[in-house]
Structure formats: structure tokens, C-alpha cells
Amino acid sequence: MTKHEQLRAHLEGLIDRELGPDERLPPERDLAEAFGVSRMTVRQALDRLERERRVYRVQGAGTFVARPPIAKTIELTSFTEDMRRRGLAPGSVLRVAELVAAGPDIGFALALSPAGEVLHLERVRTADGIPMCLEHTYLPAALVPGLTTVEGSLYAELHRRYRIRITRAEQSIRATVLDAAAAALLDAPPFSPALLVERTAFDERDRPVERAASTYRGDRYSFEIDVTTAAGPRSGAGRRAGGE
């Protein structure tokens, strides 16, 4: 086994068996001296672990063990359901619940005039008390009279209180970074990687009933997409949309 392979095995052992999430790995200089390699070699090994999302770096503080990322399939499930499937306790902090004018973009998505009234909910979604996602949701106010708070799954609440059942959604996912305000709410470094998920959800009557923009921490969340050929047995696979 080469020195590089020994270093890699040592780092993996620290991550898997000795150190817990958010604990610091030994400094690059100490690792280089212990294994008789250059600091560049150590840095390359840590770079690879960072790409694999097994560690993360904090400028001026060092390299730390990352918490296991949460993988979400592209299907119509709620954040609450996703967390419970993984044995995590879902949580939600409601920051804003207000009636506002839809404006041109939200109005277009929800088939409302720009002056149409929508309910805007801003929530921080958590798993085992750890912030995972900052969510902005817009609902046509006429469809959800009296809705001022949501404890768990919004989709479950819509069905329970208003008999609105979400059946499909159109969704896009793109890479972004956290601005200072979002980073503070998600307990993550400013300008760290994130995933922006924009979604329009429809009910059984194919009415658009939700427009949402959810920002997920890039170090804790990933999306899995099932891709098949056009002649595959599961037509539509890979085009299912996730819900909250």
C-alpha cells in the first residue's frame, strides 16, 4: 500500500469510526508529517473527500467530518414524509404568514392576476432540529381561507382542511449559493453551495394551487433521479416532482 493509500485509509477510518459529525480532522501539516507526504498530497486527499461530501472545510478553522447527506428521490412526497422515512424527526419553524399580492411571476404560475391575493408562508424545515431547507410557499388565498399556520406537512394540511389533494407538480432544480440571510437561517457558511428547487403543484382538477421556492443546504441534501430509456417499462420515470 502506497503512502497515499495509507493516508486515504487513515482518513476514512477517522471519519467512519473515530470522529463524529462536525468534529475536526488533524491539521494538514500533522498528517503530512505522520505519513511522510507533502501537504499537497494531503490536500488532494481532502479535496477528494470533500467532493464526496464526507468532509467540509471552514476557512481558518480546518477540515471537519460532514453529516451524511439526505438523498431525496424525485417523487411527489412531502419533506415530512422524507425525513420520517430516514428515521429523522421532521420540524418546521414558521417565520412569515402573510397575505400579499401575487405579482406577475407568482400570478402567472398560479393562474391569477398580478393583483390577486396569495398566502405567503416562509418556513425553515429541519431534521432532528438541524436546519435543512428555507421554503417560500405561495397559495391562492381564496382556496385556503383561515390558514395562518402549518405544523407539519403542508400537503396533509391542505387535504385535511380544504380537501385539496396534490396530484402532480412541475419542478426545476438548479445550483445556487446561500446569501448571508439564508445562510444564517440554515446555520451554514455564507455563499456555501445550495440547491434551489422551484415548484408549481396541481390538484386533482389540475388547478395550480401552490408555487414554492425551496433552498436546500448543498452539504446535506441531494436529489436522486431515476432515468430510463424511452422504451423502458416506467414511462415518466425521472420526471416525477417532489413536494413539501
Side-chain angles (χ1 to χ4, degrees):
M1 182 182 292
T2 66
K3 290 182 178 180
H4 183 274
E5 290 170 338
Q6 291 174 6
L7 171 63
R8 169 80 182 190
H10 176 71
L11 292 172
E12 290 179 340
L14 289 177
I15 293 169
D16 294 337
R17 294 183 293 276
E18 297 186 30
L19 299 177
D22 302 317
E23 289 194 77
R24 188 163 66 93
L25 272 67
E28 292 179 5
R29 177 179 298 174
D30 293 355
L31 290 169
E33 292 177 356
F35 288 89
V37 297
S38 68
R39 291 186 65 177
M40 178 61 71
T41 298
V42 174
R43 195 167 295 121
Q44 289 173 346
L46 293 174
D47 286 344
R48 181 174 176 180
L49 290 170
E50 187 175 30
R51 288 195 299 271
E52 295 172 358
R53 299 170 70 180
R54 303 188 68 185
V55 302
Y56 66 93
R57 286 166 163 143
V58 177
Q59 185 72 28
T63 304
F64 299 81
V65 177
R67 293 178 181 271
I70 295 170
K72 174 180 172 58
T73 57
I74 306 300
E75 59 183 337
L76 194 52
T77 57
S78 71
F79 179 94
T80 300
E81 291 172 321
D82 286 339
M83 296 306 102
R84 287 176 176 163
R85 286 179 182 179
R86 290 160 177 79
L88 302 172
S92 181
V93 179
L94 180 65
R95 300 189 69 252
V96 174
E98 60 182 355
L99 294 173
V100 297
D105 294 337
I106 302 300
F108 178 80
L110 295 177
L112 300 172
S113 74
E117 196 171 51
V118 295
L119 173 65
H120 169 220
L121 302 173
E122 179 184 337
R123 296 189 291 169
V124 176
R125 313 305 299 275
T126 64
D128 283 350
I130 298 172
M132 292 287 176
C133 168
L134 176 62
E135 179 182 271
H136 290 271
T137 303
Y138 300 87
L139 307 163
L143 294 182
V144 290
L147 183 63
T148 58
T149 185
V150 180
E151 295 294 332
S153 168
L154 172 62
Y155 288 1
E157 189 77 359
L158 291 177
H159 186 256
R160 183 181 69 84
R161 292 185 59 174
Y162 305 103
R163 297 295 183 264
I164 295 174
R165 188 166 73 89
I166 303 299
T167 57
R168 73 177 185 91
E170 296 172 356
Q171 182 165 279
S172 66
I173 305 171
R174 61 184 174 88
T176 186
V177 296
L178 297 176
D179 60 27
L185 292 172
L186 294 178
D187 194 23
F191 308 111
S192 57
L195 294 170
L196 176 62
V197 180
E198 296 178 302
R199 179 182 65 257
T200 302
F202 300 80
D203 69 0
E204 294 170 298
R205 297 163 58 182
D206 213 34
R207 298 178 300 179
V209 298
E210 179 207 32
R211 178 63 177 174
S214 304
T215 304
Y216 292 87
R217 286 176 50 167
D219 63 332
R220 294 302 316 278
Y221 230 86
S222 65
F223 283 78
E224 295 180 350
I225 301 175
D226 183 14
V227 180
T228 66
T229 64
R234 295 173 61 191
S235 61
R239 297 196 300 272
R240 294 167 295 174
E244 298 308 320

